[in-house]
Structure formats: C-alpha cells, structure tokens
Amino acid sequence: MAVTTRKRATLKEVAQAAGVSIASVSNVLNERGYVGEKARNRILDAIEHLGYRQNRAAKSLKTGEFPLIGVVLPNVSNLFYTSLVESLMDECRKYKMAICLLSTKDKAEGELECVDYLLSHDVMGIIWCAPLTDEVEIEAKIRDFPTVFIGRELEKYDCIVADDYQGGYELGKLGLSRGHSKIGVVTGPLERDIVKKRQAGLEAAIKGRAEIIWQYQSDFSNITPENIIATIMRCEATLVVMPNDFSAINLMKILTERGVRIPQDVSFVGYDNSDLCEYIQPSLTSVGQPRQSIAEEAIQCLIERTKTPDKPSRTIVKPIQVEVRDSVKYC
C-alpha cells in the first residue's frame, strides 16, 4: 500500500543549483559539447548534493539501447532464487531488457558492494532480494534510484513479498491436522524478515496444541550438521520443518541411508515447492511461493518506477500454497 512519496531531483533543479542552463547539465551528463571547467565543477557538485541520477529507462528508449537491470541475490545456489532468476529473465525478454546478476553469498557486507557495482555500470534499475542491510544504509546508498525489493518490506520502496507468516501458519495447521504434537525446526538466518515471519506463523498455529521441542538455525545452504542428524534420529520430533527444499531433500537422503524411514519414523516439510519435490521418494510436502507472479510484479514495478519516479511506493503481498505430498504421515 502507498506509504510515502519520494521527490526525485530533476535536470532543471541541477541547472538552477549550478547556475547554468539545462543544456550544459545535459552536456556534462552525456559527455558531449563544451562546458567550462568551473561550470562543470559546479554541475558535478550540484549533482552530488541533490543526489541526481539520470532516468536510464527514458534514455534507453531515446537511444535504442538495450536496457540493463541489476539483480542482487543472497545466494545463487538456493533453488528458489535460481527459479526466480529464470522467471525474471523471461519477463525481461518481453521488454527487451537484460540482467546483470550478482550474489552476496548471504553476507550483509557484500550487499552494498554489489549495489555500488551496479550503480557504477549504468543499470536502469535494481531488483534487490532479501537484503540484510539496515534500512537507513539502504536509503543512503540508493536514494531515489529505481529499486524494487523482493522478500523484505521497506517503508519507502516498492516491495514484493510472499505471505511468509501464512506459510508458517499453514505448515503448523497441516502438522496439527495429521496429529503431530512434537515438532523440530531448522530455520534460516533469524535476522531475515522472511524467517521471522514464517516462525511467527508456525508458533501461532500450534500454540497450546503442539510444541517445538528443538530448533536449529542455518544459513539456507546445504544442511548436514551431525547434531541435527543425531537429534532427528533420537525420534524426539515426529515432524521436521526445514527452511527450504534443497536442505530438506539432502537431509532426508542422509537419514534414509542411515536407516531412518520417512515418513514412518519422522515426517518432513520443505519450503519453496521446487520441481525436485515431486521426483524424490517420498515426494516432499512444501510451501509454494508464486515465483512467476513475483517476477512479473517486480519487473512491472521497476518499469513503472523508472517512468514515474515520484509515484507513491507500495508493498505487494503474494499468496502462498502448501503442496501436500507423501513426506508427512498421519500420527
């Protein structure tokens, strides 16, 4: 929903601040024509002071260039983001745009470096997925540059998020409906908004009717710590909730090799509903996020933002759906 309007500095305002003509500012920005050194310095100072950035989308339309958008991901090995990138590329082809893809490897300190790189390489806009960077730092870095966020809500920017609270809640309801009262949970990094919301939804669903008897935090990557495996093999929980499908499938494989029967001994649920869920044995129950719809909304929001930079920001929440398969038994 609309929460704020951000004023983008205009070419005219830069010219007024520098005491020059709009044509002179345009010449400096496009490196053409002659502008005296003193005037050039005043223009550059005004650009820096006002935080002015060119509208790359408009420039691309005028020049016939192939617009480039930047995409910042936490981790390219995560199956959800792999599929999301494919969907983003499909959408970009519709608008004759290309993608510059960067991964932060789940490190907050790498995010601003990625954004700096994109800003210095003339992208028309940025799609930033699940950022860990503080909101104040984000605003100081990108200012009014066309940016759409996926997987995190930020007050002053366009954001596309799945209903992660509902995702956790539906998993809790599923567990209760099948008689599971002791649940083990492997989460992603708890500093991520999506993880907090999933956890809150799960806890709300089972409150007073079931309990989380153990919980481990992971980094969303390949999860095989022996302490998690040992805990599961003690059969303390009848249902294990995993942070994504890849980690769930990997852990199920290891446990099966060690003689644990799934779902007879322990049930599993994943998150993201990747294509692999249907092809393993037993097939994996998982929460599906609408990747194609998220990609469509993100590209559309970015295009609209480049064309109308002063329009109110908005957050779009996409529904989730639990795909129930063979990995969850009735107790």
Side-chain angles (χ1 to χ4, degrees), residues 173-190:
K173 283 176 56 180
L174 173 65
L176 292 174
S177 71
R178 299 206 168 189
H180 294 276
S181 59
K182 294 184 177 181
I183 300 173
V185 178
V186 181
T187 74
L190 291 173

Side-chain angles (χ1 to χ4, degrees), residues 43-74:
I43 291 169
L44 294 175
D45 287 343
I47 288 171
E48 175 67 23
H49 176 71
L50 295 173
Y52 174 81
R53 290 192 178 100
Q54 287 178 283
N55 188 330
R56 299 299 177 188
K59 182 180 178 182
S60 296
L61 289 173
K62 290 178 181 178
T63 62
E65 296 173 357
F66 208 62
L68 181 68
I69 67 169
V71 177
V72 180
L73 298 179

Side-chain angles (χ1 to χ4, degrees), residues 18-33:
V20 299
S21 67
I22 292 176
S24 293
V25 177
S26 179
N27 285 342
V28 170
L29 290 171
N30 295 291
E31 299 180 352
R32 66 188 181 198

Side-chain angles (χ1 to χ4, degrees), residues 316-331:
I316 300 171
V317 181
K318 309 299 291 186
I320 57 85
Q321 182 174 347
V322 178
E323 294 292 339
V324 181
R325 299 188 179 92
D326 298 333
S327 64
V328 181
K329 71 170 183 177
Y330 286 93
C331 289

Side-chain angles (χ1 to χ4, degrees), residues 78-327:
N78 185 305
L79 293 177
F80 170 74
Y81 291 119
T82 302
S83 298
L84 178 64
V85 168
E86 290 180 357
S87 297
L88 287 170
M89 292 174 68
D90 289 341
E91 286 303 301
C92 282
R93 290 189 191 100
K94 295 179 184 178
Y95 298 98
K96 296 183 178 180
M97 298 189 299
I99 283 178
C100 176
L101 178 64
L102 298 176
S103 170
T104 68
K105 296 184 178 180
D106 290 308
K107 304 296 183 183
E109 57 269 23
E111 292 182 338
L112 295 182
E113 293 177 4
C114 289
V115 172
D116 275 334
Y117 178 89
L118 293 172
L119 291 175
S120 67
H121 282 73
D122 215 27
V123 296
M124 64 168 272
I126 295 173
I127 294 176
W128 191 345
C129 299
L132 290 170
T133 302
D134 179 78
E135 187 168 358
V136 174
E137 290 185 84
I138 289 174
E139 187 173 355
K141 176 62 64 176
I142 64 175
R143 298 186 181 181
D144 61 356
F145 190 77
T147 304
V148 174
F149 292 89
I150 293 177
R152 180 178 170 186
E153 295 182 47
L154 296 169
E155 183 181 7
K156 297 182 179 181
Y157 297 95
D158 297 319
C159 306
I160 319 294
V161 297
D163 194 342
D164 285 294
Y165 179 91
Q166 192 64 29
Y169 192 87
E170 293 299 328
L171 284 181
K173 283 176 56 180
L174 173 65
L176 292 174
S177 71
R178 299 206 168 189
H180 294 276
S181 59
K182 294 184 177 181
I183 300 173
V185 178
V186 181
T187 74
L190 291 173
E191 62 268 26
R192 290 198 181 276
D193 284 355
I194 58 175
V195 176
K196 294 176 185 176
K197 290 177 180 178
R198 293 176 191 177
Q199 186 73 3
L202 174 63
E203 291 174 357
I206 67 173
K207 186 176 182 180
R209 301 177 63 189
E211 61 177 329
I212 297 173
I213 61 172
W214 57 259
Q215 179 172 310
Y216 291 97
Q217 183 180 176
S218 74
D219 61 358
F220 279 129
S221 61
N222 193 356
I223 300 167
T224 56
E226 285 297 323
N227 55 347
I228 297 179
I229 295 171
T231 299
I232 294 173
M233 292 185 70
R234 286 198 297 268
C235 299
E236 295 178 342
T238 60
L239 174 66
V240 176
V241 177
M242 298 296 291
N244 56 41
D245 295 335
F246 184 74
S247 59
I249 291 169
N250 185 63
L251 203 49
M252 288 166 62
K253 178 178 180 293
I254 293 172
L255 290 169
T256 299
E257 291 171 350
R258 299 190 185 188
V260 176
R261 299 171 303 162
I262 300 169
Q264 293 91 335
D265 296 329
V266 61
S267 295
F268 269 81
V269 293
Y271 214 99
D272 296 336
N273 194 33
S274 60
D275 293 340
L276 292 177
C277 293
E278 295 185 65
Y279 299 109
I280 62 167
Q281 292 296 326
S283 56
L284 178 63
T285 295
S286 184
V287 177
Q289 301 187 70
R291 294 181 290 271
Q292 185 62 42
S293 178
I294 289 172
E296 290 172 0
E297 293 280 11
I299 295 298
Q300 193 59 45
C301 279
L302 192 61
I303 291 172
E304 291 175 4
R305 178 60 58 192
T306 59
K307 291 181 177 178
T308 316
D310 294 334
K311 69 177 293 185
S313 60
R314 58 178 175 157
T315 292
I316 300 171
V317 181
K318 309 299 291 186
I320 57 85
Q321 182 174 347
V322 178
E323 294 292 339
V324 181
R325 299 188 179 92
D326 298 333
S327 64

